[in-house]
Amino acid sequence: MLKEEEIRTFIDGATNYFEISAQQAATVGSPYLVTDGNPGAYEYTGVIGISGSRKGVVYFSAPRGMLTVLLMRMQETDTSDENIKDLVGEVANTISGNARRDFGKNFVISVPTVIAHDLNKVTAPHSRSYVIPINWRTHSAKLVVCLE
Amino acid sequence: MIVDDSNIIRRRIERSQQIARLEVVGAASNGREAVELFRRTQPDVVTMDLTMPEMDGVECVQELVAINSKVLILVVSALADKATAVDAIEKGANGFLCKPFTDRQLNEALEELLSEA
């Protein structure tokens, strides 16, 4: 179960990422709770395993269009599938790593695992997940936080 | 030398660093590769990610400092807790830059690192 201020940590991490990396703010919709173990995903998902003081996953999922524009905003000219996958993993890694500012050193994050083109493979380890909708330019993405 | 498991970040650092006296001699995607590249290229300055496969950044910092104690290492990591930064500095890193970062923040961090030399 996540506390309200813990959800705020991830919201801040997501908005901070877009503001600094893309130099263009994202807006965040109201976070909501999913209880059926299926928070959903877009075409590309970067998954970070969490261990230590908390257990579960944090994942960032976005469509190719958003990730391509984000790469371009970062002055990256190579928008190949490999780089798109690299980016979605890096976004998940950065938001999760930044959360240690509040969660502390024992919030241990894994290297990213990337799931692309197969929405059925994206699953949450527990039935309850918080979904944070992220809107940037004309695109929508989601940050999913599923922690014990 | 740039060490990061993300190709995007490696390219970003190479593209964004604008310090005339720095030239990128190579890039590695994990700590083990970094140690090998370090022995071959003997760089003066290293940017170092922490969360990487094979060998993580803190272990790599220790290995690089053991090879050349004068190397300047800027840790560039998303791990934003103070304890991690302190740990990296205690293991031999000279500076810490938190991801995400702007080009300006990267160049300022590198300038500060070089001013220690």
Side-chain angles (χ1 to χ4, degrees):
Chain A
M1 186 71 180
L2 279 171
K3 297 176 189 158
E4 191 179 335
E5 63 265 28
E6 291 177 331
I7 296 172
R8 171 55 59 186
T9 292
F10 290 99
I11 293 173
D12 290 347
T15 53
N16 187 54
Y17 186 88
F18 282 88
E19 207 168 300
I20 293 179
S21 292
Q23 306 205 331
Q24 202 169 46
T27 59
V28 171
S30 299
Y32 57 91
L33 180 65
V34 171
T35 57
D36 65 358
N38 185 20
Y42 292 96
E43 192 179 355
Y44 293 86
T45 301
V47 184
I48 303 294
I50 306 295
S51 57
S53 59
R54 305 298 287 266
K55 288 174 180 55
V57 299
V58 174
Y59 72 74
F60 174 76
S61 189
R64 185 182 179 95
M66 175 191 262
L67 295 165
T68 302
V69 179
L70 186 53
L71 274 180
M72 291 162 75
R73 290 286 303 177
M74 295 164 74
Q75 314 300 321
E76 176 57 68
T77 53
D78 179 353
T79 57
S80 63
D81 202 54
E82 276 312 300
N83 261 3
I84 295 281
K85 289 194 271 193
D86 188 352
L87 176 62
V88 82
E90 186 62 19
V91 177
N93 172 69
T94 302
I95 294 171
S96 304
N98 286 182
R100 283 174 46 145
R101 191 176 285 128
D102 296 325
F103 284 82
K105 194 181 177 181
N106 293 326
F107 185 81
V108 180
I109 69 169
S110 72
V111 294
T113 302
V114 174
I115 300 168
H117 318 298
D118 191 349
L119 305 189
N120 294 326
K121 277 193 179 168
V122 183
T123 55
H126 316 300
S127 58
R128 292 166 68 89
S129 303
Y130 286 89
V131 179
I132 301 169
I134 298 166
N135 302 303
W136 182 67
R137 297 167 68 103
T138 59
H139 306 283
S140 298
K142 61 175 75 178
L143 181 67
V144 173
V145 184
C146 181
L147 296 175
E148 271 179 3
Chain B
M1 182 174 91
I2 300 166
V3 187
D4 201 297
D5 61 343
S6 165
N7 179 48
I8 294 166
I9 298 295
R10 294 195 301 272
R11 284 166 58 95
R12 164 98 196 275
I13 291 173
E14 180 164 10
R15 202 168 48 238
S16 303
Q17 83 81 15
Q18 292 165 345
I19 296 165
R21 59 189 189 279
L22 285 184
E23 177 196 354
V24 177
V25 295
S29 62
N30 64 57
R32 207 168 299 284
E33 268 182 27
V35 172
E36 287 176 24
L37 187 63
F38 187 80
R39 288 184 196 278
R40 282 206 312 272
T41 57
Q42 300 180 7
D44 301 310
V45 176
V46 176
T47 69
M48 176 70 67
D49 188 15
L50 291 183
T51 309
M52 294 184 292
E54 304 277 332
M55 179 193 288
D56 72 24
V58 171
E59 194 182 343
C60 188
V61 165
Q62 287 180 287
E63 295 247 357
L64 301 193
V65 170
I67 296 166
N68 175 10
S69 61
K70 290 183 179 169
V71 63
L72 295 172
I73 302 175
L74 175 66
V75 171
V76 183
S77 171
L79 302 180
D81 59 294
K82 277 186 189 166
T84 296
V86 169
D87 187 35
I89 300 290
E90 282 178 350
K91 297 282 170 30
N94 307 82
F96 194 98
L97 175 64
C98 193
K99 293 178 186 174
F101 56 85
T102 62
D103 291 357
R104 184 177 170 175
Q105 287 168 332
L106 173 68
N107 283 290
E108 284 176 355
L110 287 169
E111 285 286 9
E112 195 175 326
L113 195 77
L114 289 167
S115 71
E116 288 184 18

